Amino acid sequence: MDALLARMVDYFWFSFTLGLALRGLLPPEAVEVLMRPGMEQLLFNSVTLLLFAPLEAWFLSQRGTTPGKALLRIRVRSLDGSLPTYQQALMRSVQVWLKGMGLCLVPVVALIAMAWWRIRLLQKGFTSWDESCHTRVEHGQPEPGAWWCWRVWSPSFWCWVCSPF
């Protein structure tokens, strides 16, 4: 369950930032169309997901975690304990969205997919995407007060993103 919450935190930060960027780059009429409920929102969500997977893969290949996962002390590693390669991390991210979250385009499908893979994770101890990408997930003790950070937009996120590697 922690991994899902971490993913939602990451997705919220990313979609919020993307929305702000689009508001600054596109004419107001185009932004209004993209943010309208219905098919336009589906288009925005699809574009967001397509852009999110490579960014998540970059974070995983560089740090082994994402900002949301870091709050909960979740790390993704290759089976040998090293950071996953970008290719491993990208394949994993794409498979999580395709399989684990049913693309998140239709809420009912997403809920069914998440429930199915949660049951499989509890039964087998690993997911098919970690198995096929030769990765594993490590859990630590979450940051104290991490729940509060989920509710507040934090400028420290940008410091973490921009910090030297």
Side-chain angles (χ1 to χ4, degrees):
M1 193 62 150
D2 287 347
L4 175 62
L5 292 175
R7 181 167 296 282
M8 292 301 104
V9 169
D10 289 334
Y11 185 69
F12 169 76
W13 279 338
F14 182 73
S15 60
F16 181 78
T17 304
L18 180 62
L20 287 178
L22 289 177
R23 286 186 188 274
L25 296 172
L26 298 176
E29 299 81 23
V31 172
E32 183 182 327
V33 168
L34 282 175
M35 300 301 178
R36 217 178 329 172
M39 289 307 289
E40 296 84 1
Q41 188 67 40
L42 183 66
L43 174 65
F44 178 76
N45 288 344
S46 300
V47 168
T48 302
L49 292 175
L50 286 173
L51 295 175
F52 181 78
L55 180 64
E56 180 185 38
W58 181 81
F59 274 114
L60 293 177
S61 67
Q62 295 298 308
R63 299 206 180 230
T65 191
T66 62
K69 285 178 177 59
L71 284 173
L72 295 171
R73 301 272 198 229
I74 298 171
R75 299 183 328 169
V76 176
R77 295 285 189 234
S78 292
L79 292 179
D80 66 4
S82 64
L83 290 174
T85 65
Y86 181 79
Q87 291 78 14
Q88 278 179 297
L90 182 60
M91 184 57 74
R92 183 183 187 279
S93 296
V94 168
Q95 287 186 42
V96 168
W97 283 109
L98 287 174
K99 295 177 181 180
M101 304 200 67
L103 286 175
C104 280
L105 299 179
V106 179
V108 172
V109 173
L111 287 172
I112 292 169
M114 286 185 272
W116 168 263
W117 290 106
R118 175 72 178 161
I119 291 167
R120 182 163 190 254
L121 173 64
L122 293 173
Q123 289 174 344
K124 296 192 174 205
F126 56 87
T127 59
S128 67
W129 45 88
D130 283 321
E131 183 178 34
S132 67
C133 295
H134 306 287
T135 56
R136 68 173 191 255
V137 177
E138 299 172 351
H139 295 268
Q141 189 66 25
E143 285 284 335
W147 61 273
W148 179 250
C149 293
W150 296 346
R151 292 169 176 80
V152 178
W153 174 258
S154 173
S156 64
F157 166 72
W158 292 111
C159 294
W160 187 81
V161 169
C162 298
S163 68
F165 297 103

